[in-house]
Amino acid sequence: MRFGILGPLEAGPCAPRAAKLRVVLGTLLVRANEVVSVDGLIDELWPDAPPRTAPTTLQVYVSHLRKALGAADPDHGRELLVTRRPGYLVRLAPGELDSTAFLDLSRRGRLALHEGDFAAAADLQRRALALWRGPVLSDVPHGPLLDAAAVRLDEARTTALDERVRAELRLGMHRELVPELHELAAAYPLREEFHAHLMVALYRCGRQAEALYTFTRLRRTLVEELGIEPGPRSRRLQQLILEGDPDLARPEPAPARDRAPDGVRELPAADPAFLGRADELVAVERLLRASAGAGGGVVAVTGMPGAGKTALAVEAAHRAADAFPGGLRLYVPDGGGRPPRPAPAGGGRALLLVDGVTSQAQVRPLLELGHTLLLTARRVPAGLPGLRTVLLGPWRPEEAWQLARLFDANGGRVTPEDARDVGVLCGLLPHAVRAAAAQLAARPHWTSATLLSRLRAEDGRLDALCTGDIDVRAGLLAAYEGCAAERRREFRLLSLLPPGPFDSVRAAAALGLTPRRALASLEALADERLVAVDRDAWHLPELLRLLAAERLAEEEDPDTVAQAVRRVCLAYADGAADPRHGGTPDAAGLVRLVRTAHAAGLWAPAVRLTDRLAEGVPPGAGDEEDCYALALDAARRHADRSAEARMLRLSAELDARYRRSDRARERFVRALERARSVGDREETGRALTGLAELLLDAGAPDEAAALLDSALAALGTTRSGPPRGRYEASRARALVALAQHEPATARHFFEECLALADALDDPRLRLYARRSLRTLDHPDPATASGSGAVEIRPGLWRIPRGGPAPVPSPV
């Protein structure tokens, strides 16, 4: 059976008539050979409000489709639609689906165009475009997944059309192309490439005035619709036409070197948009010059997928070109057969860039030529004599400010700040950032805010980095699929760790291994460039982490995932990691873990993780409040009344911080009730302290003092009581004394704070106590009169309602 989605749905004799069945089949076909989750299919069938029976109804639809497939092909039809957690997939051979055939033909046409075989490129792209019968699944209702697939395939179709026209212009078919290009320029009024092709075709037909009018029309459209000028290529074409450039008037011949039978071509020109990598460029250039002086050698640029290895190698080769009188050459191994033996170039030694090396066999025969070899490889083959390696990671953070130049080269519309944010969301990987720039250039109606919104959604970020022939996911997936099955499984499970650095102990929890075996696995994954290492800390690069999460959802057994989630949450909840080894996540990472633990029903770890969140630097207010609510629910389910009191008190403190006094008071009272019911001295004292600070803030210092005396009594003496709770009560009591104009009492309690801070070994609390005592030694008149600002806790100041007074400088 053959299926078609490039137009109305075609499925031979098994094509369903019912709209819902066509949606299910069409959705599975656009993601052929990939698992489509049950949730994804339900969203596609009922985008607005799925019925309660949606999962059962979907099973019925799938059963009907299986029967139809089985009736159409009794031998193999039912095997095409497979149930695989968390959903279903349709298994098809490459020639059984028109979109697969289109993408394959288009890819081959692109390669032929790159190699200068314009006749083959034009033929392949014509054959690819001939498979289209209309808009993608034009007779099937579209939900979010089909909409996204239609955009992706339509973009690929437009790219194929552009490349076919390019090839035909190179073949001298400008006269035949003029009518079609007029139509394309009208159909795509904002796409400059079709207008540029029309300008060239008209100019070569001797219609210079019409070519210039095409530019004028394009400029008017862009200015009126978007307020932007045409890009540099269009403006350059206009200038060449105005000058009557003779070279533009004739088709460019295919360079003979591009068709060299030995597979070796002249190196491409340096990329004018290349940026960053200053240190790496210096290192590679120095190694190349040293190799040239030594009569040959091997230099390798290696790194994770999408790090820009080839771009860096080409740039470094051009910078070192004067050291190679024999010239610069490029060889791309095809993965099979013996490598070519290019004859030495005339005039001396040459530099041969061997791009995409995967094995020693591709390189060893080239060593005999005596040239310098510059290799690019994700994993450099060991054992090559004289090998020198430069490891390439993402762009450094300080290079992110340069990224606006990359967007300027693709049409601009991005500020340096937005370009930096795009870079961070792309993991500072050059290939991904270029894909984002291409997306923005291909969609003139997008703003940088649109692009950032698409990229911030983690579940759709890799989809947003796919346009035309640029597919970031495909490159990452190729690296993943090139690993052994055990490495792939380990890579998937590591996505359960929070983003950021981790140590081998935390990795061991995710993998279900001992720390020693986990360390060996991490080393192996680092060799595959799927995990990055910085001294003793490991991390999953951002886009690889998203790919690992995708693969985990589609390939891993849910029971295995549940067990790994439990191990990870327990590992982060129990004990403190060695900060030198990157085992402690930041606030955002702890927020993720709290939500993960709660979703998995891990009540005690959810509470402990929230405690750790409260002990460190809090996240944004919204995330912090959500975590306290989840932990409060977990404490109730776990029947832990002390934890309930603690989470209520933390929520109340957050309310007080944001001036939600009524809600803060209500939660402090509930926290006090829970704490007293179980005899929790710490939480009893801290809830009373919170209520007292609300009274102080409301201008009732005497009532606050009475509550704080009760809090201090509940907490016990300085030596016997819980030091943190005692510290907070003493701090608040000192502030009350200041409000009551009792500096001696305030000094007593600030001195007690200093002693408690030493017991807690907390430098931040110690410095606060010292600053407060120093303020008492050198009082500010405004503060003494009650009209000045007062530091009520480390880094937090109370400003009188009359306006801010001068704030003492912290010492």
Side-chain angles (χ1 to χ4, degrees), residues 23 27 31 36-46 58 86 143-146:
V23 170
T27 304
R31 296 278 294 275
V36 182
S37 69
V38 168
D39 290 341
L41 287 166
I42 288 174
D43 287 344
E44 199 68 24
L45 286 162
W46 299 282
L58 175 60
L145 198 151
L146 286 182

Side-chain angles (χ1 to χ4, degrees), residues 69-138:
L69 291 167
D73 183 354
D75 294 330
H76 306 291
R78 294 184 67 88
E79 299 173 5
L80 294 179
L81 207 169
V82 180
T83 300
R84 182 170 296 172
R85 292 179 178 178
Y88 306 93
L89 68 82
V90 166
R91 295 191 296 201
L92 295 177
E96 293 176 341
L97 182 64
D98 59 357
S99 62
T100 306
F102 161 73
L103 292 171
D104 179 63
L105 286 166
S106 180
R107 178 189 60 79
R108 289 162 55 196
R110 185 171 307 114
L111 181 61
L113 181 64
H114 176 73
E115 292 179 346
D117 190 348
F118 305 128
D123 178 64
L124 287 164
Q125 297 293 13
R126 281 192 211 102
R127 288 160 57 194
L129 293 165
L131 294 171
W132 284 75
R133 298 167 286 109
V136 172
L137 292 172
S138 54

Side-chain angles (χ1 to χ4, degrees), residues 306-483:
K309 299 180 286 293
T310 302
L312 176 77
V314 169
E315 183 72 16
H318 281 288
R319 293 192 179 199
D322 61 292
F324 299 96
L328 310 177
R329 300 287 184 269
L330 171 68
Y331 167 50
V332 182
D334 62 5
R338 184 177 175 83
R341 296 174 54 84
R349 297 187 185 279
L351 172 63
L352 181 61
L353 195 164
V354 189
D355 194 29
V357 173
T358 58
S359 69
Q360 282 190 35
Q362 296 170 330
V363 180
R364 283 198 173 277
L366 300 172
L367 297 173
E368 305 167 12
L369 301 173
H371 298 315
T372 292
L373 302 183
L374 175 56
L375 317 180
T376 68
R378 181 168 53 86
R379 183 181 58 232
V380 175
L384 294 174
L387 175 66
R388 298 291 182 270
T389 302
V390 174
L391 178 62
L392 200 59
W395 275 312
R396 287 184 293 277
E398 60 268 24
E399 293 175 324
W401 290 101
Q402 304 178 37
L403 299 186
R405 285 170 42 202
L406 184 61
F407 287 86
D408 288 342
N410 285 271
R413 310 198 309 281
V414 176
T415 65
E417 292 78 10
D418 284 350
R420 179 203 58 195
D421 292 345
V422 169
V424 170
L425 289 168
C426 292
L428 291 176
L429 278 183
H431 186 56
V433 178
R434 288 178 182 274
Q439 280 278 31
L440 199 58
R443 292 173 170 79
H445 56 287
W446 278 20
T447 64
S448 58
T450 310
L451 177 62
L452 284 166
S453 174
R454 303 290 177 99
L455 293 175
R456 286 190 178 111
E458 285 195 359
D459 57 352
R461 191 176 306 167
L462 291 176
D463 290 324
L465 295 174
C466 176
T467 178
D469 60 342
I470 304 178
D471 188 344
V472 172
R473 179 191 279 108
L476 301 177
L477 199 55
Y480 166 77
E481 292 174 344
C483 297

